[in-house]
Amino acid sequence: MPINTVKFVQALILMVLFCLPMAAQRTFTASGFVRDAATGEVLISAYVYDAASGRSAQTNAYGFYSLQVQGDSAKIQASYPTYAPLLRSIRYASSGVRSDFDLQSLDVKLSEVEVSANRPIQEEVQMSTVSLSMKTIKNLPVLLGETDILKIIQLMPGVQSGTEGTSGFYVRGGGPDQNLMLIDGVPVYNVNHLFGFFSVFNSDAINSVDLIKGGFPANFGGRLSSVLDVRMKEGNRKEWKATGSLGLISSRLTVEGPLWKDKTSVLLSARRTYLDVLAQPIIAAQNPSTRGGYYFYDLNGKINHQINRNHQVYLSYYQGLDEAYARTSDEYELNGTRFINSTDNSLNWGNNIATARWSWVISPKLFSNATATYSRYRFVTDIKGEDREEDMGSTYVNRYGISYLSSIEDVGGRWDFEYKYAANTSFKWGASHTRHAFEPGVSSLKFSDGGVSLDTSFGSIRQNALDNVLYGLVDATLSDRLRVNIGVHANHFAVGTKNYLSVQPRFSARYLVSEKGSLKWSYVQMAQFMHLLANQTIGLPTDLWVPATESIRPQESWQTAAGYAHNLGKGWELSVEAYYKDMQNLIEYKEGATFFLGFSDWQTKVTTGRGWAYGAEFLLEKKTGSTTGWVGYTLAKTTRQFAELNFGNPFPYTFDRRHDMSVVLNHAFNDRVSFGAVFVYGTGRAVTLATRKLFARPQDAFDGSWLQTVESVDGRNGFREPAYHRADFSLTIKRPSRWGEGAWQFGVYNAYNRINIFYMDFGFDDNNRRVLKGYGLFPLIPSVSYSFEF
C-alpha cells in the first residue's frame, strides 16, 4: 500500500546526514570518459574499478564516470562487455585526476543484441533492469529479416508481447501507454511501423538500450510500468564508415564520420520499405485505374562537437512516417457528356523529434547536462474525391473531403546534475518543464456542389497542459553489505483550471548475503498524467493520447518488488524476482463507444477503474563464451475492474498471460559462421466471446413479426485463445572483402508452422454448423538479408 510521503522525505534527510560523516576521510577523485578506441563512441554503463580499495563506478548515459580513491596512488581498470579491459596507474592530485579510457573492441563473434551487465549482478542496487548492447553482427532470428529491438525486449521475463508478430509490449500487467519510450531522452508516442509489426528503432543507429521494469530511480517519471531508454550513436570521431542492410521488405544505410577529427562527428541513418514499389505492378494488373500502396521510412541525424575536455554539445533529429494510400481515377462518356471521377484516400502517421544538449564537466565530482527537446506525433486520415461533368463547354464539379486528425506536441527543457560526494555517496537532482498540446481526435468535413459549400470541424477540442518536474536522489553504501538508492520525484501538472501535484517516493536496497549473491527490494510510487484510448488489438495508430483533465484524474500506481541475484561464475548469472503492482484511475472505452468521426468529446466515451498485477520472474543467463543466451520464465496474473464494465466485476486484462517462457541461444562456430535460435511459449490471450444465442421479439413488434437475435456473454475476457508458441532459427555467414565486410543471414520464422491465433470469430463448417474459428497471420516464413560495412 502507498507509504506516507512526509515520513519518507524525513527518512531521506536522515539518510543524507548519516552518509556525510562517512566521507570525511582524505581521498582524491578520478574522473573522465570511457570510449571505443576505434570510433570515439562513448561506452554507456562501462565498469570502472579500483582494485586496491574495491570501489567502483559506472559511466553515465554520456560515458562519464567519477570515482573516489584513497592513498597516494591507485590502479584503475575500465571494462566493458566484448572490449579488452584497460588498467592504468594514477597518482594523487588534490584537484583530482582526469583519466579518459579508450577501450579496444575484442574480435568476439556474438549476436547483434546481447544481454549484458557491466558490473557483477549481485553488486547492483538497481533491480528489474535489462541492458541491451548493440553489436554489428546480426545473429538472432527476426521476422522478414528486420532486426527489431522491441521484439528482443519481448523475450525478457516480465514483458508480454501483444498480438502475433507485433512489436508492442506490456510490462508487469501495464498497458502500452504506461511505457515511457525515450530516444536520446525525448519521449516517443508511437513506436510502430507497418501497423505494429516493426518498430521505429533503426538498429544501425543505436548505441545502447536500457529497460527498467520496476524500482525506478527518481530521475524517471511520467509512466507507470516501464522506461525504455534508447541512446543513439554519436558518430565515428576517427574515420568515415558506412553500414547497411538489404532485406526482403526494406533496406537501411548509415553513414558516420568526423567533420573535425576527434572533435566533431556526424551520423546520418535512413531506412525505407519498398512494399509500395513491389505492390504497384500487382495493383495495376488488377485495376489499371487504381494506384495504391504502403511504405514507411525513418531518418536519424546526429552531430556532436567537443568544445574542450569539459564541454560538449549535441544536436539530434529523428523523423519517421508511415503512409497507406489508394488513388483511383475513372473517365467515361455518356450521351455526349464526359464524366471524370477520382478519389484520393490516405492514412499516415509519424513522429518528429529534435534534441539539443550541452554536457558540462563542472568539476571531477560534478557533471551536468542541459537539454532542450521537441516531440510531435500526428495521425491523419484523409478521404477526398471529385466528380466532374463536362458538357458543351460547361463544367460541373462536386468535391468532398472527410479528414480525421489526432496529435500530441511537446516542447520542453531539463537540467540534470550528478555529484559524487564521497566514495560511498553520490547525488542526482534536476528539474524539467514541458508544454503539451493535445488534439485528441478532430474530424472535419468539406463539401462543395456548384455554388453550395460546407466546411466544418467537430470532435474533441485542443487542450494545452504544463508539466513541471523536480527530483532528487542519493545512492549510498551504508556498510560492506548494504547499499540503498532513495529519492523523491515531484510532479506538477496544470491543465485547464485544474492543478495536480504528485510527490512520489522511490526506494531500492541491496544486501550482499555472500560474495556471489545479494537480496534486493524496491518500492516506488508513480503518476501518469496522460491516458491512451487504445483498441487493445493490432497496433493501429488510431490510439489517442489524451491528458488528465478536470474530470479525468491522472493514473497512479505503487509497486514493490523483492528478488535474489547470484553470480554463478564462468559467465552465468541467475536472478529471481517477485512483484506486486496496484494501479488507479485507468480508463477504457464504454461499451459501444468509438473514437472515429464522433461529435462528442472523448471524455464522455470513457469510464475509469483500477487494475492490479502480481507475479514472479526467473532469468538464467550465460554472457560469455562462444555459446551465450538465456532462459526466462514469468508466472503472472493481471486484473482490471471498472464500475461500468462487466457489471462492475473484476475481469482478466486482455494481455493477462499466466505463463510466459523464452529460450534464446547464440552460438559462434568460428569467426565467420554463427547460429541463433529462439523458442517462445505463452498462455493465450483473454478475449470476450458470446456463449449463448437468444431470440427475442422487439417490444413494439406486431404478433408474428421477425425475431431479433441477441448474443449473451458470461463475462468480459472470459475466454482464452489457444496457447502461443513458435521456434525461430537463423544462420549468419560473414564474408570479408577488400572493401570491407559483408554478411548473409538466412532465417526461418515459425519453423514448425504453428498457426498461432491472430483473431477469432464465429463461422460455419462444411455441414453449415456454427463453429468458433481462429485465424493465424504468419505461417512458416523464410527470410534472407545481406548486411555490409566498409
Side-chain angles (χ1 to χ4, degrees), residues 549-697:
T549 65
E550 291 92 336
S551 57
I552 305 296
R553 293 186 57 82
Q555 301 180 61
E556 297 176 332
S557 74
W558 63 269
Q559 180 184 167
T560 185
Y564 176 75
H566 194 88
N567 188 336
L568 300 172
K570 296 184 178 180
W572 288 90
E573 291 183 350
L574 170 69
S575 64
V576 181
E577 292 187 17
Y579 66 90
Y580 183 90
K581 178 162 62 177
D582 183 87
M583 299 168 282
Q584 302 289 336
N585 306 324
L586 308 181
I587 67 171
E588 287 275 7
Y589 279 118
K590 294 178 181 178
E591 298 288 2
T594 184
F595 61 88
F596 194 60
L597 292 177
F599 288 86
S600 58
D601 188 68
W602 66 269
Q603 298 179 71
T604 66
K605 304 177 183 180
V606 300
T607 180
T608 60
R610 63 183 293 257
W612 57 96
Y614 53 89
E617 301 167 4
F618 169 92
L619 181 62
L620 177 66
E621 307 174 69
K622 187 175 187 298
K623 299 181 176 180
T624 60
S626 59
T627 301
T628 59
W630 68 88
V631 177
Y633 172 74
T634 305
L635 175 67
K637 183 176 176 62
T638 305
T639 307
R640 297 287 193 266
Q641 186 174 23
F642 294 82
E644 298 182 66
L645 299 178
N646 203 44
F647 303 103
N649 298 318
F651 58 89
Y653 183 46
T654 302
F655 295 100
D656 170 47
R657 186 170 292 174
R658 193 73 65 251
H659 304 282
D660 192 79
M661 183 179 71
S662 61
V663 181
V664 178
L665 174 69
N666 294 303
H667 180 73
F669 294 101
N670 51 48
D671 291 348
R672 296 187 178 184
V673 181
S674 56
F675 171 79
V678 170
F679 174 77
V680 295
Y681 173 90
T683 304
R685 281 190 308 163
V687 296
T688 303
L689 290 176
T691 57
R692 291 178 297 274
K693 184 166 65 173
L694 308 175
F695 297 95
R697 180 174 289 111

Side-chain angles (χ1 to χ4, degrees), residues 47-51 67 75-79 85-88 101:
Y47 187 39
V48 183
Y49 177 73
D50 175 19
L67 176 65
K75 290 185 177 181
I76 299 177
Q77 177 177 280
S79 61
L86 182 59
L87 182 65
R88 178 174 296 160
F101 289 88

Side-chain angles (χ1 to χ4, degrees), residues 316-564:
S316 64
Y317 179 76
Y318 167 80
Q319 179 178 314
L321 179 72
D322 289 65
E323 182 169 24
Y325 60 91
R327 303 181 179 102
T328 65
S329 179
D330 187 26
E331 181 178 338
Y332 62 94
E333 187 170 324
L334 180 64
N335 298 327
T337 302
R338 186 185 179 200
F339 295 88
I340 305 173
N341 302 320
S342 62
T343 63
D344 186 353
N345 306 322
S346 65
L347 174 73
N348 65 77
W349 65 96
N351 299 281
N352 291 78
I353 296 171
T355 311
R357 178 176 290 115
W358 166 44
S359 294
W360 178 19
V361 181
I362 301 174
S363 75
K365 295 183 177 182
L366 183 59
F367 179 89
S368 81
N369 189 72
T371 309
T373 63
Y374 173 82
S375 178
R376 188 193 72 175
Y377 167 69
R378 284 168 55 92
F379 163 66
V380 180
T381 298
D382 275 321
I383 301 174
K384 296 182 291 186
E386 179 181 282
D387 298 327
R388 179 184 295 268
E389 298 181 14
E390 299 176 354
D391 182 19
M392 299 181 64
S394 62
T395 302
Y396 170 78
V397 180
N398 172 26
R399 297 188 179 93
Y400 62 90
I402 303 173
S403 65
Y404 176 85
L405 167 68
S406 174
S407 72
I408 177 172
E409 183 179 52
D410 293 348
V411 179
R414 62 181 295 149
W415 203 340
D416 302 282
F417 295 85
E418 301 179 23
Y419 181 62
K420 188 72 173 182
Y421 176 78
N424 60 355
T425 308
S426 61
F427 297 90
K428 288 185 181 181
W429 68 92
S432 68
H433 171 79
T434 305
R435 180 190 63 82
H436 304 286
F438 298 86
E439 288 188 284
V442 177
S443 302
S444 63
L445 176 64
K446 297 180 180 180
F447 175 79
S448 65
D449 185 4
V452 180
S453 63
L454 173 68
D455 189 343
T456 184
S457 297
F458 52 91
S460 300
I461 61 174
R462 180 185 176 96
Q463 291 180 294
N464 296 319
L466 298 179
D467 194 347
N468 302 298
V469 171
L470 182 67
Y471 75 88
L473 66 86
V474 57
D475 189 297
T477 301
L478 303 184
S479 71
D480 291 341
R481 295 183 179 272
L482 181 61
R483 182 180 168 201
V484 298
N485 185 297
I486 184 169
V488 174
H489 183 99
N491 205 159
H492 167 255
F493 191 84
V495 56
T497 60
K498 187 69 173 180
N499 286 274
Y500 291 102
L501 178 63
S502 174
V503 181
Q504 307 152 34
R506 315 286 176 82
F507 183 84
S508 297
R510 177 228 68 194
Y511 183 80
L512 287 171
V513 296
S514 68
E515 291 184 358
K516 297 291 187 179
S518 65
L519 296 172
K520 300 184 181 184
W521 177 72
S522 67
Y523 174 88
V524 298
Q525 291 183 17
M526 307 291 285
Q528 180 171 329
F529 297 90
M530 300 180 188
H531 298 271
L532 185 68
L533 294 175
N535 53 62
Q536 293 191 5
T537 54
I538 191 172
L540 288 174
T542 50
D543 297 345
L544 308 181
W545 284 98
V546 294
T549 65
E550 291 92 336
S551 57
I552 305 296
R553 293 186 57 82
Q555 301 180 61
E556 297 176 332
S557 74
W558 63 269
Q559 180 184 167
T560 185
Y564 176 75

Side-chain angles (χ1 to χ4, degrees), residues 104-119:
Q104 296 285 347
S105 178
L106 294 171
D107 189 18
V108 178
K109 309 308 174 186
L110 297 176
S111 62
E112 180 187 17
V113 180
E114 62 170 15
V115 181
S116 61
N118 301 308
R119 67 165 63 188

Side-chain angles (χ1 to χ4, degrees), residues 33 41-42 44 60-63 182-187 207 220 229-234 237 301-307 310-317 353-361 367-374 412-416 418:
F33 291 85
E41 196 78 39
V42 298
I44 300 171
N60 62 14
Y62 312 101
L182 301 173
I183 294 182
D184 279 343
V186 185
N207 184 341
F220 290 112
D229 189 11
V230 178
R231 299 284 172 171
M232 311 305 294
K233 290 180 179 178
E234 295 180 1
R237 295 186 179 195
K302 193 168 186 177
I303 183 171
N304 82 88
H305 174 68
Q306 184 174 336
I307 301 172
N310 296 324
H311 296 272
Q312 190 161 335
V313 292
Y314 311 77
L315 293 173
S316 64
Y317 179 76
I353 296 171
T355 311
R357 178 176 290 115
W358 166 44
S359 294
W360 178 19
V361 181
F367 179 89
S368 81
N369 189 72
T371 309
T373 63
Y374 173 82
R414 62 181 295 149
W415 203 340
D416 302 282
E418 301 179 23

